[in-house]
Amino acid sequence: MIRLHHVSASRSFRILWLLEEMGLSCDISHYSITDGSLRDPDFLKISPAGRVPALEVDGKVIFESPAIVQYLCESRPLSGMAPGVDHAERVDFLQWLSFAETQASILASLNLQVVFLRPPAVASPAVVKLDVARLRKTLKPLEKVLATQEWLLASGFSAVDTMLGYNLFAVKYFVEMDAFPNVLAYIERIEKRPAYQSARALDGAQEFYSKDFYPVPEGGAGD
Ligand SMILES: N[C@@H](CCC(=O)N[C@@H](CS)C(=O)NCC(=O)O)C(=O)O
């Protein structure tokens, strides 16, 4: 039995999607960012910082999505979701695995400021502007690599596409994507994958975004 501790549309979606790609079913425990369920003492025994994803698998409990992805790929090499240790693409795989969290940390900062802060707290326009610029910069290496290949590894779809691909559905709330046609085409390819579609069907409704786009607030847009 595999159990995924999950918040809809959060980073735990990466694992839900990867499990679908691997043909593995799981039981899902659902939580919410806003209702205090991530601070429940029973959940904190599983994920000490109160974060998702956490995965119960093979008698182990693992938190941190890159660690979960790496564990699933290494324990199930026949899934073909990651190059082996000696493979020529291994370095690319590890690099994108970590880069996904570089990008996601900027998204987390933007989410906190723009989506989750409640009055009287207000977002800093200067910090939001800086974060959006930093986020845009993280799209440039993706745009470049996706100019010549369909997936992040030249050999084809792999687990790092679930790590980084997930992020892109949040990036579009903050960055005008017209300048990144290769990334847009990549998102379209992702949306056509049956495993992505079945994971979305299991995911549940996202509770983060109430608008299609969040522009830099007044005071941060000028130079
Ligand atoms: N590096 C961790 C980050 C996990 C993380 O921060 N998840 C967010 C959801 S995307 C969370 O659980 N936030 C809850 C909170 O901040 O209270 C991972 O990739 O698993």
Side-chain angles (χ1 to χ4, degrees):
M1 190 278 286
I2 299 177
R3 176 169 295 279
L4 176 66
H5 297 266
H6 178 60
V7 169
S8 298
S10 79
R11 274 173 270 196
S12 50
F13 180 77
R14 293 165 167 167
I15 309 303
L16 189 55
W17 177 14
L18 179 59
L19 289 170
E20 288 295 309
E21 294 281 356
M22 291 178 143
L24 297 171
S25 59
C26 66
D27 290 338
I28 302 175
S29 296
H30 288 273
Y31 300 81
S32 160
I33 297 269
T34 51
D35 70 358
S37 51
L38 294 175
R39 300 292 170 265
D40 185 287
D42 283 338
F43 179 64
L44 293 176
K45 284 183 201 148
I46 289 167
S47 179
R51 304 287 180 110
V52 290
L55 193 72
E56 297 178 57
V57 59
D58 301 340
K60 304 170 204 307
V61 181
I62 318 174
F63 53 89
E64 286 294 326
S65 60
I68 296 169
V69 164
Q70 194 164 350
Y71 176 78
L72 287 172
C73 291
E74 287 174 0
S75 60
R76 287 145 177 93
L78 295 181
S79 67
M81 282 289 129
V85 178
D86 296 328
H87 194 283
E89 288 183 315
R90 182 67 175 184
V91 168
D92 286 343
F93 178 85
L94 294 174
Q95 191 175 270
W96 290 127
L97 193 65
S98 289
F99 189 72
E101 276 304 275
T102 293
Q103 192 177 62
S105 66
I106 303 170
L107 282 165
S109 170
L110 281 166
N111 283 340
L112 186 70
Q113 296 174 83
V114 174
V115 180
F116 290 118
L117 275 189
R118 292 285 169 266
V122 283
S124 155
V127 176
V128 172
K129 182 184 177 189
L130 192 62
D131 273 344
V132 170
R134 279 153 40 99
L135 190 56
R136 192 178 291 114
K137 195 165 270 184
T138 65
L139 292 175
K140 291 187 176 168
L142 301 183
E143 183 66 12
K144 190 172 169 202
V145 78
L146 292 168
T148 53
Q149 59 198 55
E150 290 205 326
W151 306 106
L152 293 173
L153 298 186
S155 59
F157 186 89
S158 74
V160 287
D161 294 299
T162 69
M163 283 291 295
L164 258 157
Y166 154 76
N167 291 353
L168 299 174
F169 292 90
V171 167
K172 67 183 170 51
Y173 287 102
F174 303 109
V175 174
E176 307 267 13
M177 295 298 287
D178 300 355
F180 302 101
N182 300 329
V183 175
L184 284 173
Y186 173 68
I187 293 172
E188 276 181 27
R189 281 193 291 282
I190 286 172
E191 286 176 322
K192 288 190 184 128
R193 293 187 73 81
Y196 173 84
Q197 291 168 5
S198 52
R200 276 292 175 220
L202 295 168
D203 184 21
Q206 68 90 9
E207 59 172 26
F208 302 154
Y209 306 107
S210 56
K211 297 193 227 169
D212 290 337
F213 188 75
Y214 292 83
V216 173
E218 197 84 356
D223 282 327

